[in-house]
Amino acid sequence: MAEHNFIEIRGAREHNLKNIDISIPKNRLTVITGLSGSGKSSLAFDTVYAEGQRRYVESLSSYARQFLELMKKPDVDSIEGLSPAISIEQKTTSHNPRSTVGTVTEIYDYMRLLWARAGTPYSPATGLPIESQTVSQMVDRIAALPEGSRILLLAPIARGKKGEFKKEFENLQRQGYQRLKIDGAVYGIEELPELNKNQKHDIEVVVDRLVIKPGLESRLAQSTETALKLGDGLMFAEDVSSGSRITFSSKFACPVSGFTIEEIEPRLFSFNNPYGACPYCDGIGARLYMDPCLIVPNENLSMAQGAILPWYSRKHGFYNDTLESLCQYLGISMKTPWKDLPENAKNVILYGSGSEPVPMYYSRFVTHKPFEGVVNNLERRFMETDSQATRDEFAQYQSAAVCEHCGGKRLKPEVLAVTVNDKSIHDVTEMSAAESLAFFEGLHFTGQAAVIALPIVKEIRERLRFLVDVGLDYLTLERATATLSGGEAQRIRLATQIGAGLMGVLYILDEPSIGLHQRDNERLIATLERLRDLGNTVVVVEHDEDTIRAADFVVDMGPGAGEHGGHVIAAGTPAEVMATEGSVTADYLSGRR
């Protein structure tokens, strides 16, 4: 091989490395192995990766460099043949509650695009699909009705609303409209009935009366635009003889229930965007609440002994007087253990007396007003305070619970009403990676939807397949990244890197096989080989026998750990390393030990 086909390391002395020289082949899978503490990570991460990263950052403009951490130059004489380096270490990923497996792998971004462009919105009230239509689509549909049909174009201005509507009628008369349909009957504008303001009314303006015949399109288009403007995006075409009507909507709206959805955009499906996020939990899926179990942590104590911890810990006379007044009102003793108090008394103390006034006796005054309850008092003060110290103090009495409005789904109900193949976007994120891959592989689109959807679905399938290939087929896309183990987080990054499809990159991995089942380990090795076959150099710090045997090149560090390590004991193909005397790794690989 020509010299530039190797990463040439000369005189590496970082940490415990003993001035070593080593040539690592490029575009190959190299495993650096040896005892713990023998200098594997010092060679891979602290020397090769650190120098690759440092040189890359140094190549950027001085403006860009100020935002990036410049790594210190490792203790090495020279390294030649370096590529831009990416390290995939066993660090846990983001602890941000908004970060999920779907968002980190970018699968969710493609899903948002798919649901926005190919999803069908349904009305939660009727279960019927709701669609937005262009004026030309509406005109085509009306013009296609049987010739000679007598049609009224109606613009609804009130649907199931109480009132007399006198002002609206005067306004319509000034605009020149001649007929209105009120509660099913058509009236001339001069002879409108007196409406009962306490009853609900349906009022529609007759925008045009037509007889279907050829050449009607331009008049139809004008009347349709007028009707949509007047009806706020909604219009009815009613057959005079049969009374049947077709509903048209320029917005996403259910004609029966009036359920509307804004223009369907990808941002609507993001729980990290106020347009789509559940307004009650801000898209996190859980809410913090004051937990009675943390407010009263020890039920064996009485209130006099400090059963109600947040009020006792303040040693405040005001709170003591409040509790004594409550006890007097409820007919209980401050000295009775909390667990022995009647349930209704506990409820009043924790959640308040409702509208019932309670006499409160303080040293300087007496009040008679409803008691808000300890839980409500803490909730209110937590929301009202500007002091971070006070918020931190009250936070210790809080627990997280699933948001009762969205049920942990993070999104608004109208967003969940949009489906692809009868599944909302949340339904699919609840599936495991393997199940969602099967779902996307089973999708079929026709016509215009196919043109839009197929490239998006292709990207989603590929990324899901990478997740399955690295042994993460059991993870759901809604799983928070904060709950992943180090190995899972590392393999997610690995799947994301394969999805990026980069070439000519130096990837350095830290023991990716930790905690893996044998079957998954085989998948992982296949993934590493795939990364190599794309045209990348893959360097893995690893103890696993299968990974060592699968490598193109093995570097064995040793002979001992710490001060006794830092030497290259053997380097070459797995077969060459196995033949080396004095290598612990070779002894085990060859079966000598």
Side-chain angles (χ1 to χ4, degrees), residues 179-463:
R179 286 179 179 75
L180 271 77
K181 187 169 188 178
I182 301 173
D183 299 333
V186 177
Y187 299 91
I189 198 87
E190 304 290 348
E191 57 206 42
L192 296 177
E194 194 83 16
L195 296 184
N196 183 338
K197 65 178 179 184
N198 297 318
Q199 283 184 345
K200 290 181 178 178
H201 304 286
D202 290 327
I203 302 169
E204 292 145 9
V205 180
V206 179
V207 175
D208 204 349
R209 296 185 297 166
L210 305 154
V211 178
I212 301 297
K213 59 185 178 189
L216 201 65
E217 283 78 2
S218 63
R219 177 179 168 183
L220 249 180
Q222 272 184 328
S223 298
T224 299
E225 280 183 13
T226 307
L228 290 171
K229 204 170 180 182
L230 200 59
D232 198 23
L234 207 58
M235 177 188 85
F236 306 119
E238 185 174 290
D239 189 308
V240 175
S241 53
S242 68
S244 63
R245 53 168 62 185
I246 307 169
T247 304
F248 296 100
S249 166
S250 65
K251 296 182 176 180
F252 288 94
C254 171
V256 181
S257 63
F259 173 88
T260 55
I261 189 165
E262 299 168 41
E263 190 182 0
I264 297 183
E265 287 295 319
R267 67 178 182 179
L268 195 67
F269 297 91
S270 172
F271 45 78
N272 295 327
N273 189 309
Y275 281 94
C278 166
Y280 298 95
C281 63
D282 293 327
I284 289 173
R287 293 178 73 188
L288 292 171
Y289 70 102
M290 291 295 168
D291 190 342
C293 298
L294 298 176
I295 291 169
V296 185
N298 185 352
E299 295 201 348
N300 294 316
L301 299 178
S302 66
M303 283 184 279
Q305 294 168 313
I308 298 174
L309 189 60
W311 280 14
Y312 185 72
S313 60
R314 290 176 159 265
K315 293 271 197 286
H316 198 305
F318 174 82
Y319 294 110
N320 206 47
D321 291 350
T322 302
L323 289 174
E324 284 188 341
S325 303
L326 272 171
C327 288
Q328 199 172 327
Y329 167 76
L330 294 165
I332 56 174
S333 166
M334 281 281 282
K335 293 178 180 173
T336 306
W338 181 264
K339 65 176 186 200
D340 298 332
L341 292 175
E343 281 306 314
N344 71 318
K346 291 183 191 174
N347 272 333
V348 171
I349 294 165
L350 290 175
Y351 298 105
S353 62
S355 57
E356 190 74 27
V358 178
M360 294 286 179
Y361 303 97
Y362 300 104
S363 54
R364 294 183 179 173
F365 62 94
V366 178
T367 67
H368 282 76
K369 60 180 183 182
F371 173 60
E372 67 178 336
V374 176
V375 169
N376 299 331
N377 172 270
L378 295 175
E379 293 263 14
R380 177 178 57 77
R381 287 162 57 209
F382 180 80
M383 296 306 289
E384 287 174 358
T385 184
D386 292 325
S387 157
Q388 190 55 46
T390 307
R391 289 182 82 88
D392 290 344
E393 183 195 338
F394 288 164
Q396 64 185 316
Y397 304 113
Q398 288 183 323
S399 289
V402 171
C403 170
E404 66 272 25
H405 291 274
C406 68
K409 294 180 179 179
R410 297 173 172 240
L411 295 162
K412 290 177 180 173
E414 54 264 40
V415 180
L416 298 168
V418 182
T419 66
V420 168
N421 208 13
D422 297 332
K423 297 272 184 226
S424 74
I425 195 164
H426 180 262
D427 291 339
V428 179
T429 60
E430 277 188 315
M431 299 176 185
S432 67
E435 288 167 346
S436 49
L437 178 59
F439 169 80
F440 285 109
E441 285 183 332
L443 282 185
H444 297 290
F445 296 95
T446 54
Q448 185 66 24
V451 178
I452 299 167
L454 289 178
I456 307 171
V457 172
K458 178 175 171 279
E459 291 287 344
I460 295 172
R461 283 176 190 159
E462 280 185 8
R463 281 167 167 73

